[in-house]
Amino acid sequence: AMGIPILVLVNLVDDYGNPVMNAYSIGIVHGWAAFCFSNVGNFSRCLDVVAHEFTHGVTGQFKLGDIYENETGAINESYSDIMGNICEFMVTGREDRDWLIAEDSDGPSRCMRDPNRYGQPEFVGDVYYMPFTDYINANGNDYGGVHYNSSLLNYMAVALDDAGMTLDEQRHFWLASMHLFTPKTDYDELYPILLQSLEIAGLDLDYADVITAVYEKLHLFGDRRETARQATKPGYGRVTVMAAQGELAK
């Protein structure tokens, strides 16, 4: 909400008092937009991380809620990465052609241009891709890979930047799209939203070709569950592990 006060909490620890190397947006708490940072990792030094967390609050207000899992959660995380970097570039004037995340901390967390560098997928079905799951878990599968698979939409921002879209145009474009998506927006629904956002932001419609090319390159069209099952990458194999039901044999 406009004008809401912001509360920034430091010294983030877990239930046992151990510092947590992370940063969080924890939503609206007693009328305050609350954010928390740890004293390790130095994430509070990173404008892109601070803006990332702030963007979670903005998208949450636009969508009136989040389904923080699988594709919808990955799109949520990607918007925060994208707006975080755009904010950093516009404020500092830095020209980071790799679109790194948290490079001013103890070490970068993600690279939007080369996601494999930090263990994120380059396309649906890549070796680092986290497939859709019905068994959502924070520690076991990152809520269906919300932080891993954010690299897919992240690459869209890099491609539009490479195609000549200015930072101010990018800010208008992504903000326009925020007005159109819902908690259930997946990649299928997001595609026409991005195309319409070009018109809303008054941008060159030739960028639609860039958006379509990224969707094709990253295999975002079609049945992504099946695409992930069938995908291969040179130099890597695939195994299937079947879990038996019932008690294990003794």
Side-chain angles (χ1 to χ4, degrees):
M2 293 293 292
I4 190 170
I6 295 174
L7 178 65
V8 178
L9 306 173
V10 297
N11 197 27
L12 174 65
V13 297
D14 61 20
D15 292 340
Y16 302 99
N18 301 310
V20 177
M21 190 173 174
N22 210 336
Y24 295 102
S25 167
I26 54 179
I28 308 300
V29 180
H30 299 298
W32 292 77
F35 305 88
C36 50
F37 294 86
S38 171
N39 285 344
V40 297
N42 294 312
F43 289 121
S44 60
R45 296 180 181 176
C46 305
L47 180 55
D48 55 355
V49 174
V50 174
H52 170 113
E53 301 304 338
F54 185 85
T55 302
H56 277 310
V58 176
T59 52
Q61 288 295 310
F62 274 122
K63 292 191 296 181
L64 300 178
D66 294 316
I67 300 178
Y68 194 67
E69 61 188 47
N70 295 311
E71 284 189 4
T72 54
I75 290 171
N76 180 309
E77 283 296 332
S78 184
Y79 266 81
S80 284
D81 277 353
I82 292 168
M83 296 302 282
N85 249 339
I86 290 174
C87 179
E88 178 188 55
F89 297 163
M90 294 185 74
V91 171
T92 66
R94 171 180 287 165
E95 296 184 1
D96 176 6
R97 307 316 301 171
D98 280 343
W99 285 65
L100 296 170
I101 301 292
E103 67 271 29
D104 291 331
S105 69
D106 290 353
S109 301
R110 294 186 279 280
C111 177
M112 292 168 61
R113 182 179 296 279
D114 179 18
N116 277 181
R117 190 188 305 181
Y118 296 103
Q120 288 187 289
E122 294 179 341
F123 55 87
V124 173
D126 187 7
V127 297
Y128 295 110
Y129 179 76
M130 296 283 283
F132 182 94
T133 180
D134 291 317
Y135 303 98
I136 304 302
N137 183 280
N139 297 317
N141 58 32
D142 182 36
Y143 297 106
V146 298
H147 292 94
Y148 289 91
N149 296 344
S150 64
S151 59
L152 301 178
L153 186 59
N154 280 356
Y155 186 73
M156 181 72 72
V158 178
L160 290 171
D161 185 67
D162 287 348
M165 189 180 287
T166 69
L167 290 174
D168 194 53
E169 289 173 337
Q170 291 174 56
R171 178 175 63 88
H172 281 291
F173 167 72
W174 293 106
L175 186 60
S177 68
M178 289 183 194
H179 287 80
L180 302 178
F181 61 26
T182 72
K184 292 186 177 181
T185 295
D186 59 7
Y187 293 113
D188 293 328
E189 186 176 305
L190 186 62
Y191 177 66
I193 285 176
L194 295 178
L195 297 183
Q196 187 176 357
S197 297
L198 292 174
E199 295 189 57
I200 294 173
L203 298 176
D204 190 333
L205 297 185
D206 285 346
Y207 288 122
D209 293 337
V210 177
I211 293 171
T212 300
V214 170
Y215 257 70
E216 292 173 343
K217 179 179 180 179
L218 275 58
H219 310 313
L220 294 175
F221 287 127
D223 185 343
R224 288 173 294 282
R225 297 196 201 192
E226 184 60 27
T227 296
R229 280 192 288 267
Q230 298 297 328
T232 60
K233 187 170 186 176
Y236 293 88
R238 185 180 297 276
V239 297
T240 299
V241 177
M242 304 297 292
Q245 294 183 338
E247 293 187 7
L248 295 175
K250 297 182 180 178

